[in-house]
């Protein structure tokens, strides 16, 4: 199975049905790789070329075997064969291209990327028609993720303000199969409610307890 650097995502995926864990890991590994490329260089043109390569490679999953790239091979084995198209996966690239623009970035597009990622993960987890809670939770998670990684303090606070203003996921119980996504969504709301300027480390004990509560009770 692919490795993920984010300890909270790793823990959240452990809540998923075992049969879906490799597929959900591949989806979040793809999102992380695209994020690294979008954030990595000072030259937006180079980053754009790399993201374009991934866009084209993901599209080709619909018509050809994957190249010898671990994430693409995992997607072909664990995600594409479950009915999720390469074209749908390629849509995630467009959500990261917004970071190539000079700040301020379009935060609506940031949120849309998270909603799309959560929708794909929900489909792999067995929910063919993701709910409003999935879309809202994914949007909130992407805004919190952008805030956590933003080097510019103004951009970080813009993202947190957008997170606070966003429509929260409906206050319903998350089904057991989707509590991986619920755990990440409640952490995003946690980040939105924290005091301005406070940087809480990932996998802090209180955050782990909040994720555990979601895993147990679905709220």
């Amino acid at each position: 199975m692919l490795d993920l650097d984010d300890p909270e995502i790793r823990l959240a995926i452990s809540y998923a049905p075992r049969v879906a864990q490799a597929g959900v890991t591949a989806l979040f590994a793809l999102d992380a790789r695209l994020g690294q490329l979008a954030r990595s260089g000072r030259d937006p043109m180079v980053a754009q070329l790399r993201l374009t390569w991934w866009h084209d490679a993901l599209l080709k999953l619909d018509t050809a075997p994957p190249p010898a790239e671990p994430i693409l091979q995992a997607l072909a084995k664990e995600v594409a064969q479950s009915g999720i198209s390469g074209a749908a996966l390629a849509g995630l690239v467009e959500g990261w291209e917004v970071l190539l623009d000079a700040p301020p970035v379009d935060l609506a597009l940031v949120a849309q990327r998270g909603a799309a990622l959560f929708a794909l993960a929900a489909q792999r987890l067995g929910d063919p028609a993701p709910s409003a809670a999935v879309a809202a939770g994914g949007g909130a998670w992407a805004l919190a993720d952008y805030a956590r990684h933003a080097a510019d303090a103004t951009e970080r606070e813009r993202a947190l303000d957008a997170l606070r203003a966003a429509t929260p996921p409906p206050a319903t119980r998350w089904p057991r199969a989707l509590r991986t996504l619920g755990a990440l969504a409640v952490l995003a709301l946690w980040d939105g409610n924290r005091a301005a300027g406070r940087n809480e480390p990932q996998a802090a004990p209180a955050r782990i307890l909040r994720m555990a509560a979601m895993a147990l009770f679905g709220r």
Side-chain angles (χ1 to χ4, degrees), residues 63 140 146 161 173 186:
T63 58
Y146 177 68
D161 287 343
R173 186 174 182 181
V186 295

Side-chain angles (χ1 to χ4, degrees), residues 39 99 143-157 159:
R39 299 184 185 108
L99 266 64
L143 289 170
D145 179 68
Y146 177 68
R148 183 172 291 277
H149 289 91
D152 181 80
T154 300
E155 279 295 280
R156 183 164 56 250
E157 290 307 315

Side-chain angles (χ1 to χ4, degrees), residues 120-208:
L120 292 172
Q123 187 174 342
R124 185 59 188 87
L125 288 163
D127 185 352
S131 66
V134 169
W141 175 81
L143 289 170
D145 179 68
Y146 177 68
R148 183 172 291 277
H149 289 91
D152 181 80
T154 300
E155 279 295 280
R156 183 164 56 250
E157 290 307 315
R158 280 186 68 239
L160 291 174
D161 287 343
L163 178 54
R164 296 180 190 110
T167 302
T172 57
R173 186 174 182 181
W174 286 69
R176 184 168 297 279
L178 299 185
R179 289 180 190 175
T180 286
L181 305 180
L184 296 175
V186 295
L187 287 186
L189 297 179
W190 183 291
D191 286 337
N193 289 330
R194 68 181 172 81
R198 180 185 170 200
N199 187 20
E200 185 175 55
Q202 285 190 296
R207 296 170 71 86
I208 298 299

